[in-house]
């Protein structure tokens, strides 16, 4: 079975409203051990749609409306006036080859009345045209709102980069605009990681585009990150390296076809619209799931029902893996049951020592 056949079988009558986007693809890479998340993303259904339309639950995925409005407003501010503010930012950073322009916004100049899908198609075609001649004189140094295709298990999903910037080597790098407060060394690390992971998806898309175009150019694992100076609306510029982030995205994309085909083969003739099939696909609940996955609440309930050690944190999950259940481990520690393997006995012995030390520290030992 090919990945395309597996996707069609799993999706059945479900029709995705849109692709996962850069955010959905970077979410997939955050938890590569969760086959359920991999299959939903690669099938074009996504966890939010699964929560809402398959399980009948309210998904929690997505930014808050306030954060979304603030982010869009800041992006418009940075890119307005023909990119003057962004070009000035590069000039002040000493990157004169970028500041010299030209600047192009692919959202401008499209025929009015086109639907979103047609506009995205036209911007994708324009993006590929610019990438094909990236090294030619007179090409834009900054391309705002570029649309790139990312191949996931044989299907192409569109992502929109805030902008692409000439890398000085005949190709482009992604630029990511976020309204997060730039507090220098005190900037929230979680904000930086999230922005870099999304930019890494664009790096992978640029690499795939270069291969499709037959170009020798290769997108480096790097991006330019535009943040908001704390207490103001003025943008700041950071050059970021993304080796680890890009590697995680590429590994997740490489594993997606295998997960998709395996799920379809197990499903027989059923599709993801059947909640039983969805819930039969193995998940891997971790603490971080609550930050980004619409199915986190459901997967946590499954973990509770199974007394999964993951509920105690990632470290506990690793250490209690031989036993696989909090309840079973508690019975071993109390002596109610006897471990059935050397690995279980070793885990139980370690936990007994921890409990003993804890009681002694409280003066109860």
């Amino acid at each position: 079975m090919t990945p395309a056949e597996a996707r069609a079988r799993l999706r059945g009558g479900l029709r995705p409203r849109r692709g996962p986007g850069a955010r959905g693809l970077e979410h997939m890479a955050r938890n590569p051990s969760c086959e359920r998340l991999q299959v939903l993303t690669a099938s074009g259904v996504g966890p939010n749609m699964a929560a809402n339309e398959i399980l009948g639950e309210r998904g929690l995925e997505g930014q808050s409306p306030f954060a979304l409005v603030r982010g869009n407003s800041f992006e418009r501010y940075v890119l307005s006036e023909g990119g003057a503010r962004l070009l000035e930012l590069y000039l002040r950073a000493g990157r004169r080859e970028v500041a010299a322009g030209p600047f192009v916004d692919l959202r401008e100049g499209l025929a009015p009345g086109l639907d979103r899908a047609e506009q995205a198609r036209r911007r994708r075609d324009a993006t590929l045209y610019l990438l094909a001649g990236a090294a030619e004189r007179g090409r834009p140094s900054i391309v705002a709102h570029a649309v790139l295709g990312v191949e996931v298990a044989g299907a192409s999903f569109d992502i929109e980069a805030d902008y692409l910037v000439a890398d000085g080597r005949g190709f482009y790098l992604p630029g990511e605009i976020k309204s997060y407060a730039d507090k220098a060394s005190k900037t929230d690390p979680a904000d930086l990681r999230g922005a870099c992971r999304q930019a890494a998806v664009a790096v992978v898309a640029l690499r795939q585009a270069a291969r499709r175009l037959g170009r020798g150019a290769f997108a480096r694992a790097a991006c330019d990150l535009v943040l908001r100076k704390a207490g103001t609306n003025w943008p700041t510029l950071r050059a970021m390296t993304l080796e680890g982030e890009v590697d995680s995205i590429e590994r997740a994309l490489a594993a997606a076809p295998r997960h998709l085909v395996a799920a379809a083969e197990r499903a027989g003739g059923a599709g993801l619209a059947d909640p039983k099939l969805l819930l039969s696909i193995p998940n891997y609940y971790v603490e971080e799931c609550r930050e980004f996955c619409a199915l986190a609440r459901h997967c946590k309930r499954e973990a509770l029902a199974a007394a999964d050690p993951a509920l105690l944190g990632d470290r506990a999950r690793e250490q209690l893996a031989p036993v696989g259940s909090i309840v079973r481990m508690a019975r071993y520690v109390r002596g109610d049951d006897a471990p059935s393997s050397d690995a279980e006995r070793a885990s139980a012995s370690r936990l007994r020592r921890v409990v003993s030390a804890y009681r002694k520290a409280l003066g109860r030992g």
Side-chain angles (χ1 to χ4, degrees), residues 26-336:
E26 71 93 355
H27 288 173
M28 180 177 73
R30 284 204 217 182
N31 190 354
S33 298
C34 184
E35 186 176 341
R36 187 178 296 170
L37 178 60
Q38 311 296 308
V39 169
L40 285 170
T41 305
S43 66
V45 174
N48 203 50
M49 184 177 181
N52 293 331
E53 299 188 19
I54 300 174
L55 299 180
E57 300 178 357
R58 180 175 172 271
L60 297 178
E61 186 180 355
Q63 293 176 283
S64 71
F66 175 75
L68 192 61
V69 169
R70 182 179 62 187
N72 289 340
S73 175
F74 182 66
E75 179 186 314
R76 286 194 298 270
Y77 174 77
V78 171
L79 298 176
S80 64
E81 299 181 15
R85 292 186 181 89
L86 188 57
L87 293 170
E88 182 182 350
L89 201 58
Y90 279 97
L91 181 62
R92 290 193 289 113
R95 294 170 63 176
R96 296 181 179 277
E97 75 286 354
V98 175
F103 171 94
V104 170
D105 189 338
L106 294 184
R107 280 187 181 173
E108 297 179 356
L110 291 175
L114 294 176
D115 62 28
R116 291 180 62 182
E118 177 63 15
Q119 288 191 8
R121 184 193 66 77
R122 291 187 62 171
R123 285 195 285 131
R124 182 175 61 248
D125 291 346
T127 301
L128 286 174
Y129 172 76
L130 292 171
L131 293 178
E136 297 178 10
R137 292 178 61 85
R139 288 293 181 181
S141 62
I142 294 180
V143 181
H145 300 124
V147 173
L148 298 159
V150 181
E151 185 174 313
V152 185
S156 182
F157 296 111
D158 285 345
I159 67 163
E160 180 179 304
D162 292 339
Y163 68 94
L164 303 178
V165 57
D167 66 356
R169 304 182 185 185
F171 208 55
Y172 286 95
L173 293 175
E176 193 75 21
I177 301 173
K178 297 294 184 185
S179 59
Y180 307 144
D182 190 341
K183 301 177 182 178
S185 62
K186 295 182 179 180
T187 304
D188 189 337
D191 288 344
L192 293 177
R193 285 196 302 270
C196 287
R197 281 191 293 251
Q198 286 191 51
V201 177
V203 169
V204 172
L206 284 166
R207 290 180 177 182
Q208 291 183 359
R211 288 194 291 270
R212 287 195 297 271
L213 293 168
R215 286 183 51 96
F218 185 73
R220 292 184 290 116
C223 77
D224 286 341
L225 182 57
V226 177
L227 301 180
R228 179 180 54 82
K229 187 175 181 180
T232 73
N233 207 38
W234 187 253
T236 65
L237 181 66
R238 296 186 181 206
M240 309 293 291
T241 56
L242 307 173
E243 283 87 356
E245 291 85 354
V246 171
D247 185 55
S248 68
I249 298 293
E250 291 182 330
R251 285 200 309 270
L253 294 182
R258 182 178 73 252
H259 289 308
L260 204 60
V261 171
E265 288 176 343
R266 287 196 303 266
L272 286 170
D274 182 352
K276 292 181 180 178
L277 171 60
L278 172 62
L279 299 180
S280 73
I281 301 174
N283 70 335
Y284 192 82
Y285 178 76
V286 294
E287 295 172 280
E288 192 182 9
C289 292
R290 292 173 293 180
E291 298 178 12
F292 65 87
C293 186
L295 289 173
R297 289 188 303 183
H298 191 94
C299 293
K300 184 176 182 178
R301 288 199 297 271
E302 290 181 305
L304 284 166
D308 193 321
L311 296 165
L312 301 179
D314 296 343
R315 185 175 179 183
R317 176 183 219 150
E318 180 181 350
Q319 294 184 346
L320 302 182
V323 180
S325 166
I326 299 172
V327 173
R328 190 179 304 123
M329 178 56 76
R331 294 182 65 84
Y332 292 165
V333 171
R334 291 195 303 263
D336 297 339

